[in-house]
Amino acid sequence: MKLFKLGLISCVCLSLFSCKTVNRITTNSKKAKNVILLISDGTGLSQISSAFYFQDKVSNYTRFEDIGLINTSSSQEDVTDSAAGATAFASGVKTYNGAIGLDDDFSAPKTLIEIASENGIQTGVIATSSLTHATPASFYAHAKSRGMEYEIAEFLPKSGIDFFAGGGFQFFSGRKDNLDLIAQLQANNFTVDTTSFSNYNALKSKDKLGFLLAANAMPKMQEGRGNFLAKAIEAGTEFLTKDGSNFFMMAEGSQIDWGGHNNDAAYLIAELIDFDQAIGKTLDFAEKDGNTLVIVTSDHETGGFTLASKTKTREDGSQYSDYKEIEPTFSTGGHSATLIPVFAYGPGSKNFTGIYENNELFEKILALTNWKK
């Protein structure tokens, strides 16, 4: 009987997640002029919940009314990695783990950055990792493996991106092949700053603007990164709209995932709270603008993170769970297959409610903007 029940559950799950999900778009939705996609790498519901327990401020997640769930499985694995997860968002295809902007047949579907640029939309990418890391790379590059960061970097100068901020300087300059990608960026009308984000105000009148502020990833919050992510989002929205343009921007809180991989709760929570503050800056802009769709989600969950009750020991040596105190715990050093929340605000936000596949975000965004593939 147990085997029968397990088999039945497997069949139901397979039918839910292997069949093509109906892409539900409300036809009378107001069109979005701008789209900001915020990705908190490695973040499931428990990670989000930490913003409610480990900071004194009210979490900015409470400002959303339209919430859905996505299945993040890749084309060949139940558990996705960041490359396949981000490619699903960026290009609308399920693909193999490790793929950057490629499908299972190694063809290169257009990314949201490429589509938006071809439609005359300004574009931006921000990350607390290197800009060649899996998630940001999937929005502008096409590579068979996420590990090909030097090859991925070569896509950025010709990508159509107008604003970027993050780490990864070593992939653009001082390379073993002597290829100077900073010079290529400058030839494509970029002003590139490698010293400080505080220089933004002096540079914001430039045609295209990029910040490469670390050799690889940006510092951890615990190491003094400060409010780089929120400031970059605020500057990015200002820069991309300075000529009255419409825009698409992807910003990633990359290192929440790394805290999960390390089973380091303090690292994870510090990065998550930083991302929460970045959500606040984004929603402040969207509320004032009135034409901006904000989508907040994650590529997958990392660490099997849980906010459990703290285990304590009585005088007699017996243990008990103290429900008055939380103790973050982990069940894995890798990713999990848990469903991931999607939060949406702005024009067409109700289209992101329900339960659906991660690659459907791509089609929903295109439907709500009228950008042509």
Side-chain angles (χ1 to χ4, degrees), residues 4-190:
F4 172 77
K5 288 182 179 179
L6 287 171
L8 179 60
I9 291 169
S10 297
C11 289
V12 171
C13 290
L14 186 61
S15 66
L16 282 173
F17 295 128
S18 63
C19 297
K20 180 175 177 61
T21 307
V22 176
N23 192 13
R24 298 173 294 274
I25 301 292
T26 303
T27 55
N28 61 353
S29 294
K30 178 183 176 182
K31 299 302 179 184
K33 292 183 178 180
N34 310 311
V35 178
I36 302 175
L37 174 59
L38 300 183
I39 299 175
S40 51
D41 199 315
T43 300
L45 190 55
S46 287
Q47 283 88 345
I48 292 167
S49 299
S50 67
F52 292 76
Y53 291 100
F54 293 99
Q55 63 175 341
D56 295 330
K57 301 177 183 178
V58 175
S59 171
N60 285 293
Y61 282 101
T62 63
R63 297 166 67 178
F64 293 96
E65 295 182 358
D66 297 319
I67 304 168
L69 292 170
I70 51 172
N71 174 48
T72 63
S73 297
S74 58
S75 64
Q76 300 178 27
E77 295 89 2
D78 291 331
V79 180
T80 191
D81 79 329
S82 294
T87 296
F89 296 152
S91 296
V93 297
K94 294 271 192 180
T95 190
Y96 63 91
N97 284 353
I100 299 292
L102 298 178
D103 63 18
D104 279 329
D105 296 326
F106 305 123
S107 62
K110 290 181 181 179
T111 70
L112 284 170
I113 291 285
E114 292 166 335
I115 292 168
S117 181
E118 290 173 2
N119 280 264
I121 305 297
Q122 296 280 291
T123 62
V125 172
I126 298 166
T128 58
S129 64
S130 72
L131 290 166
T132 55
H133 207 257
T135 299
S138 296
F139 282 83
Y140 68 85
H142 304 277
K144 289 184 178 180
S145 171
R146 60 184 290 174
M148 301 168 63
E149 290 190 73
Y150 288 95
E151 291 83 356
I152 287 167
E154 295 176 32
F155 282 87
L156 188 57
K158 54 189 178 185
S159 64
I161 287 176
D162 300 285
F163 176 91
F164 63 78
F169 177 76
Q170 69 183 23
F171 301 106
F172 294 85
S173 183
R175 296 161 51 115
K176 290 181 180 179
D177 60 7
N178 295 319
L179 192 61
D180 187 351
L181 296 183
I182 301 296
Q184 287 191 21
L185 284 162
Q186 292 169 339
N188 284 301
N189 300 319
F190 266 98

Side-chain angles (χ1 to χ4, degrees), residues 290-333:
N291 296 300
T292 298
L293 171 63
V294 177
I295 306 158
V296 179
T297 191
S298 176
D299 46 2
H300 55 75
E301 191 277 340
T302 301
F305 184 67
T306 302
L307 298 179
S309 57
K310 189 164 186 176
T311 301
K312 293 187 175 180
T313 304
R314 299 183 179 92
E315 290 183 3
D316 63 4
S318 63
Q319 293 187 326
Y320 69 100
S321 296
D322 185 349
Y323 282 15
K324 294 180 180 180
E325 196 169 347
I326 291 171
E327 184 173 43
T329 63
F330 298 88
S331 65
T332 178

Side-chain angles (χ1 to χ4, degrees), residues 223-261:
E223 295 172 346
R225 188 174 73 236
N227 61 344
F228 160 79
L229 185 59
K231 286 172 62 179
I233 290 171
E234 187 174 27
T237 55
E238 179 185 0
F239 184 82
L240 296 171
T241 57
K242 69 180 188 295
D243 297 322
S245 301
N246 301 329
F247 71 90
F248 169 79
M249 183 167 67
M250 190 288 295
E252 183 194 32
S254 317
Q255 298 188 40
I256 303 166
D257 174 66
W258 301 351
H261 279 298

